[in-house]
Amino acid sequence: MVIVATQTDLFADVSLFPRSVTWEHVISVFTEENYLGALINSFTVTAISLLIVLAFGLSCAYVLARRSFRVPLKKTLLIWILLVRVLPQITFALPLYILMNDVGLLSTKMPIVLAHILVNLPFVIWFMIAFFYHVPEEIEESARMDGASEFTIYYRVVLPLVVPGIAAISILSFMASWNEYLYSVIFIQRPSDFTIPLKLATLNSEQELTEWGKVAGGGLISMMPVLLAAIFMQKHLMNGLTAGAVKE
């Protein structure tokens, strides 16, 4: 209701429906608040971190899920991976800050990308291990007998069989990165590098406490990428989230 109401209606008597419809708040966040820059920053950080997380997470999950790969202390490694996910995010803030400051990357987007990778990588590994477990190893053995290499088996045989899981974990990781606020507050130092959550927080500052129209308009825009991704990948998302719920 706030999104389509005019600034006058926001301070008038409360009504179930707005008395007039306008897009002035959505337009104003772009023309007055550089919201487009925040969108680009969020897309950049989210896309880079998601690609890296999927590349490493899928391959790690495949190796840890297969008996043909002899990984030393596999169970201990899985516990450590889970521990990274279970620990509060603030636990890694100070080490990352010191590391990025020492190498001179604190004023770049690299700390945010690394933080998102750190948060999402254990989640991807543990989520996808269950999917790789359900892929029959006989399929891989047949491919090996035909002369396929391990990478070919992984890329051309196994991955197409776990597409629902990849779609589900991609959307969940995308949402986690897109909405991440803690590391953005800690690492981002310049207004030009603000991401969407941080930009929305500044719209509701002490100086602009009554800018509810801009906050609502910006919130509506921030929802659209995740909403569209969920709609277009709905089939794979539902299959991925419900996989393994019923045993045959």
Side-chain angles (χ1 to χ4, degrees), residues 95-120:
L96 275 175
Y97 189 94
I98 295 174
L99 176 63
M100 293 296 106
N101 186 49
D102 290 341
V103 297
L105 296 176
L106 199 57
S107 60
T108 66
K109 295 183 176 65
M110 186 61 66
I112 305 297
V113 173
L114 290 178
H116 289 193
I117 293 173
L118 185 66
V119 170
N120 289 324

Side-chain angles (χ1 to χ4, degrees), residues 13 30 33 36-37 70 77 88 94 96 98 112 119 123 125 131 141 143 159 166 170 185-186 188 201 203 222 234 243:
D13 295 334
F30 285 101
E33 303 294 341
L36 180 60
R70 297 181 179 179
L77 180 59
L94 182 58
L96 275 175
I98 295 174
I112 305 297
V119 170
F123 183 40
I125 293 175
F131 282 88
E141 292 297 332
L159 284 187
I166 297 175
S170 296
V185 171
I186 295 173
I188 293 180
L203 291 178
S222 68
Q234 182 178 8

Side-chain angles (χ1 to χ4, degrees), residues 182-193:
L182 176 64
Y183 290 125
S184 299
V185 171
I186 295 173
F187 293 121
I188 293 180
Q189 300 181 340
R190 298 176 301 182
S192 59
D193 293 333

Side-chain angles (χ1 to χ4, degrees), residues 5-13 19 24-25:
T6 63
Q7 191 71 11
T8 304
D9 292 335
L10 291 177
F11 300 98
D13 295 334
R19 298 177 178 84
E24 65 173 307
H25 305 303

Side-chain angles (χ1 to χ4, degrees), residues 53-63 124 128 132 154 159 166:
V53 162
L54 289 179
F56 285 93
L58 293 176
S59 57
C60 289
Y62 175 67
V63 170
V124 172
M128 291 305 303
F132 288 125
Y154 164 71
L159 284 187
I166 297 175

Side-chain angles (χ1 to χ4, degrees), residues 38-54:
L39 278 173
I40 295 175
N41 292 333
S42 286
F43 270 117
T44 302
V45 172
T46 302
I48 293 175
S49 62
L50 180 60
L51 290 175
I52 296 175
V53 162
L54 289 179

Side-chain angles (χ1 to χ4, degrees), residues 24-207:
E24 65 173 307
H25 305 303
V26 176
I27 297 173
S28 64
V29 293
F30 285 101
T31 58
E32 301 175 10
E33 303 294 341
N34 191 27
Y35 205 71
L36 180 60
L39 278 173
I40 295 175
N41 292 333
S42 286
F43 270 117
T44 302
V45 172
T46 302
I48 293 175
S49 62
L50 180 60
L51 290 175
I52 296 175
V53 162
L54 289 179
F56 285 93
L58 293 176
S59 57
C60 289
Y62 175 67
V63 170
L64 293 173
R66 280 306 186 233
R67 290 191 295 268
S68 56
F69 294 96
R70 297 181 179 179
V71 180
L73 302 174
K74 181 182 292 188
K75 291 184 178 180
T76 305
L77 180 59
L78 286 172
I79 293 174
W80 275 102
I81 293 173
L82 181 62
L83 185 63
V84 174
R85 179 65 182 181
V86 172
L87 288 175
Q89 295 184 14
I90 193 64
T91 307
F92 308 102
L94 182 58
L96 275 175
Y97 189 94
I98 295 174
L99 176 63
M100 293 296 106
N101 186 49
D102 290 341
V103 297
L105 296 176
L106 199 57
S107 60
T108 66
K109 295 183 176 65
M110 186 61 66
I112 305 297
V113 173
L114 290 178
H116 289 193
I117 293 173
L118 185 66
V119 170
N120 289 324
L121 186 58
F123 183 40
V124 172
I125 293 175
W126 269 91
F127 190 91
M128 291 305 303
I129 282 177
F131 282 88
F132 288 125
Y133 268 137
H134 286 84
V135 176
E137 293 191 7
E138 291 77 9
I139 297 177
E140 299 175 49
E141 292 297 332
S142 299
R144 288 191 185 95
M145 293 178 63
D146 291 336
S149 63
E150 291 294 339
F151 180 78
T152 302
I153 295 173
Y154 164 71
Y155 182 72
R156 295 187 177 273
V157 178
V158 179
L159 284 187
L161 299 177
V162 294
V163 168
I166 297 175
I169 197 61
S170 296
I171 294 180
L172 295 175
S173 298
F174 181 88
M175 292 173 60
S177 293
W178 187 261
N179 297 320
E180 202 284 319
Y181 176 76
L182 176 64
Y183 290 125
S184 299
V185 171
I186 295 173
F187 293 121
I188 293 180
Q189 300 181 340
R190 298 176 301 182
S192 59
D193 293 333
F194 279 4
T195 56
I196 290 294
L198 193 54
K199 190 65 179 179
L200 287 176
T202 60
L203 291 178
N204 196 23
S205 63
E206 187 175 330
Q207 291 76 20

